[in-house]
PDB file of all heavy atoms in Angstrom:
ATOM      1  N   THR M 138     104.426 115.304  84.630  1.00 94.00           N
ATOM      2  CA  THR M 138     104.556 116.529  83.823  1.00 94.00           C
ATOM      3  C   THR M 138     104.599 116.163  82.342  1.00 94.00           C
ATOM      4  O   THR M 138     104.910 115.033  81.976  1.00 94.00           O
ATOM      5  CB  THR M 138     105.837 117.294  84.178  1.00 94.00           C
ATOM      6  OG1 THR M 138     106.928 116.390  84.059  1.00 94.00           O
ATOM      7  CG2 THR M 138     105.789 117.860  85.581  1.00 94.00           C
ATOM      8  N   GLY M 139     104.334 117.140  81.489  1.00 96.00           N
ATOM      9  CA  GLY M 139     104.420 116.938  80.049  1.00 96.00           C
ATOM     10  C   GLY M 139     105.654 117.626  79.492  1.00 96.00           C
ATOM     11  O   GLY M 139     106.586 117.945  80.233  1.00 96.00           O
ATOM     12  N   GLU M 140     105.654 117.851  78.178  1.00 97.00           N
ATOM     13  CA  GLU M 140     106.789 118.503  77.529  1.00 97.00           C
ATOM     14  C   GLU M 140     106.266 119.606  76.623  1.00 97.00           C
ATOM     15  O   GLU M 140     105.143 119.555  76.121  1.00 97.00           O
ATOM     16  CB  GLU M 140     107.571 117.479  76.684  1.00 97.00           C
ATOM     17  CG  GLU M 140     108.245 116.399  77.517  1.00 97.00           C
ATOM     18  CD  GLU M 140     108.170 115.022  76.885  1.00 97.00           C
ATOM     19  OE1 GLU M 140     108.290 114.918  75.656  1.00 97.00           O
ATOM     20  OE2 GLU M 140     107.943 114.050  77.643  1.00 97.00           O
ATOM     21  N   PHE M 141     107.126 120.577  76.388  1.00 97.00           N
ATOM     22  CA  PHE M 141     106.759 121.698  75.525  1.00 97.00           C
ATOM     23  C   PHE M 141     108.010 122.128  74.768  1.00 97.00           C
ATOM     24  O   PHE M 141     109.078 122.271  75.348  1.00 97.00           O
ATOM     25  CB  PHE M 141     106.248 122.864  76.396  1.00 97.00           C
ATOM     26  CG  PHE M 141     105.783 124.052  75.618  1.00 97.00           C
ATOM     27  CD1 PHE M 141     104.513 124.075  75.059  1.00 97.00           C
ATOM     28  CD2 PHE M 141     106.611 125.149  75.424  1.00 97.00           C
ATOM     29  CE1 PHE M 141     104.081 125.168  74.333  1.00 97.00           C
ATOM     30  CE2 PHE M 141     106.182 126.248  74.706  1.00 97.00           C
ATOM     31  CZ  PHE M 141     104.910 126.263  74.157  1.00 97.00           C
ATOM     32  N   GLY M 142     107.892 122.282  73.455  1.00 97.00           N
ATOM     33  CA  GLY M 142     109.070 122.699  72.684  1.00 97.00           C
ATOM     34  C   GLY M 142     108.653 123.297  71.357  1.00 97.00           C
ATOM     35  O   GLY M 142     107.464 123.353  71.011  1.00 97.00           O
ATOM     36  N   THR M 143     109.669 123.752  70.615  1.00 97.00           N
ATOM     37  CA  THR M 143     109.414 124.328  69.300  1.00 97.00           C
ATOM     38  C   THR M 143     109.834 123.313  68.243  1.00 97.00           C
ATOM     39  O   THR M 143     110.909 122.708  68.344  1.00 97.00           O
ATOM     40  CB  THR M 143     110.246 125.613  69.118  1.00 97.00           C
ATOM     41  OG1 THR M 143     109.894 126.509  70.180  1.00 97.00           O
ATOM     42  CG2 THR M 143     109.964 126.288  67.787  1.00 97.00           C
ATOM     43  N   ALA M 144     108.993 123.123  67.229  1.00 97.00           N
ATOM     44  CA  ALA M 144     109.346 122.197  66.149  1.00 97.00           C
ATOM     45  C   ALA M 144     110.623 122.700  65.453  1.00 97.00           C
ATOM     46  O   ALA M 144     110.813 123.922  65.332  1.00 97.00           O
ATOM     47  CB  ALA M 144     108.206 122.125  65.142  1.00 97.00           C
ATOM     48  N   PRO M 145     111.510 121.795  65.029  1.00 97.00           N
ATOM     49  CA  PRO M 145     112.761 122.229  64.371  1.00 97.00           C
ATOM     50  C   PRO M 145     112.499 123.176  63.204  1.00 97.00           C
ATOM     51  O   PRO M 145     113.291 124.073  62.937  1.00 97.00           O
ATOM     52  CB  PRO M 145     113.370 120.907  63.896  1.00 97.00           C
ATOM     53  CG  PRO M 145     112.846 119.905  64.847  1.00 97.00           C
ATOM     54  CD  PRO M 145     111.463 120.343  65.202  1.00 97.00           C
ATOM     55  N   SER M 146     111.388 123.017  62.500  1.00 97.00           N
ATOM     56  CA  SER M 146     111.075 123.901  61.368  1.00 97.00           C
ATOM     57  C   SER M 146     110.683 125.297  61.816  1.00 97.00           C
ATOM     58  O   SER M 146     110.634 126.226  61.019  1.00 97.00           O
ATOM     59  CB  SER M 146     109.915 123.306  60.568  1.00 97.00           C
ATOM     60  OG  SER M 146     108.782 123.243  61.416  1.00 97.00           O
ATOM     61  N   GLY M 147     110.363 125.448  63.082  1.00 97.00           N
ATOM     62  CA  GLY M 147     109.933 126.742  63.610  1.00 97.00           C
ATOM     63  C   GLY M 147     108.483 127.077  63.312  1.00 97.00           C
ATOM     64  O   GLY M 147     107.990 128.139  63.673  1.00 97.00           O
ATOM     65  N   THR M 148     107.772 126.162  62.650  1.00 97.00           N
ATOM     66  CA  THR M 148     106.402 126.477  62.244  1.00 97.00           C
ATOM     67  C   THR M 148     105.382 126.335  63.374  1.00 97.00           C
ATOM     68  O   THR M 148     104.293 126.887  63.305  1.00 97.00           O
ATOM     69  CB  THR M 148     105.942 125.551  61.102  1.00 97.00           C
ATOM     70  OG1 THR M 148     106.148 124.207  61.533  1.00 97.00           O
ATOM     71  CG2 THR M 148     106.721 125.825  59.827  1.00 97.00           C
ATOM     72  N   ASN M 149     105.692 125.560  64.385  1.00 97.00           N
ATOM     73  CA  ASN M 149     104.690 125.308  65.435  1.00 97.00           C
ATOM     74  C   ASN M 149     105.370 124.890  66.732  1.00 97.00           C
ATOM     75  O   ASN M 149     106.587 124.659  66.776  1.00 97.00           O
ATOM     76  CB  ASN M 149     103.726 124.217  64.983  1.00 97.00           C
ATOM     77  CG  ASN M 149     104.408 122.893  64.736  1.00 97.00           C
ATOM     78  OD1 ASN M 149     105.133 122.733  63.741  1.00 97.00           O
ATOM     79  ND2 ASN M 149     104.212 121.963  65.631  1.00 97.00           N
ATOM     80  N   ARG M 150     104.558 124.818  67.753  1.00 97.00           N
ATOM     81  CA  ARG M 150     105.038 124.311  69.048  1.00 97.00           C
ATOM     82  C   ARG M 150     104.613 122.850  69.194  1.00 97.00           C
ATOM     83  O   ARG M 150     103.617 122.410  68.615  1.00 97.00           O
ATOM     84  CB  ARG M 150     104.445 125.137  70.200  1.00 97.00           C
ATOM     85  CG  ARG M 150     104.825 126.610  70.147  1.00 97.00           C
ATOM     86  CD  ARG M 150     106.343 126.778  70.218  1.00 97.00           C
ATOM     87  NE  ARG M 150     106.755 128.125  69.808  1.00 97.00           N
ATOM     88  CZ  ARG M 150     106.987 129.110  70.664  1.00 97.00           C
ATOM     89  NH1 ARG M 150     106.831 128.918  71.945  1.00 97.00           N
ATOM     90  NH2 ARG M 150     107.363 130.274  70.205  1.00 97.00           N
ATOM     91  N   ILE M 151     105.398 122.136  69.974  1.00 98.00           N
ATOM     92  CA  ILE M 151     105.095 120.721  70.247  1.00 98.00           C
ATOM     93  C   ILE M 151     104.716 120.610  71.725  1.00 98.00           C
ATOM     94  O   ILE M 151     105.519 120.937  72.604  1.00 98.00           O
ATOM     95  CB  ILE M 151     106.320 119.826  69.957  1.00 98.00           C
ATOM     96  CG1 ILE M 151     106.630 119.838  68.454  1.00 98.00           C
ATOM     97  CG2 ILE M 151     106.106 118.411  70.475  1.00 98.00           C
ATOM     98  CD1 ILE M 151     107.956 119.178  68.099  1.00 98.00           C
ATOM     99  N   VAL M 152     103.486 120.191  71.953  1.00 98.00           N
ATOM    100  CA  VAL M 152     103.022 119.982  73.332  1.00 98.00           C
ATOM    101  C   VAL M 152     102.834 118.471  73.519  1.00 98.00           C
ATOM    102  O   VAL M 152     102.213 117.816  72.678  1.00 98.00           O
ATOM    103  CB  VAL M 152     101.680 120.707  73.585  1.00 98.00           C
ATOM    104  CG1 VAL M 152     101.144 120.394  74.979  1.00 98.00           C
ATOM    105  CG2 VAL M 152     101.840 122.208  73.376  1.00 98.00           C
ATOM    106  N   VAL M 153     103.429 117.920  74.577  1.00 98.00           N
ATOM    107  CA  VAL M 153     103.225 116.493  74.860  1.00 98.00           C
ATOM    108  C   VAL M 153     102.572 116.363  76.237  1.00 98.00           C
ATOM    109  O   VAL M 153     103.109 116.844  77.239  1.00 98.00           O
ATOM    110  CB  VAL M 153     104.552 115.699  74.825  1.00 98.00           C
ATOM    111  CG1 VAL M 153     104.279 114.210  75.046  1.00 98.00           C
ATOM    112  CG2 VAL M 153     105.277 115.927  73.516  1.00 98.00           C
TER     113      VAL M 153
END
Side-chain angles (χ1 to χ4, degrees):
T138 53
E140 294 140 38
F141 183 81
T143 303
S146 62
T148 54
N149 62 287
R150 299 300 164 96
I151 294 170
V152 176
V153 183

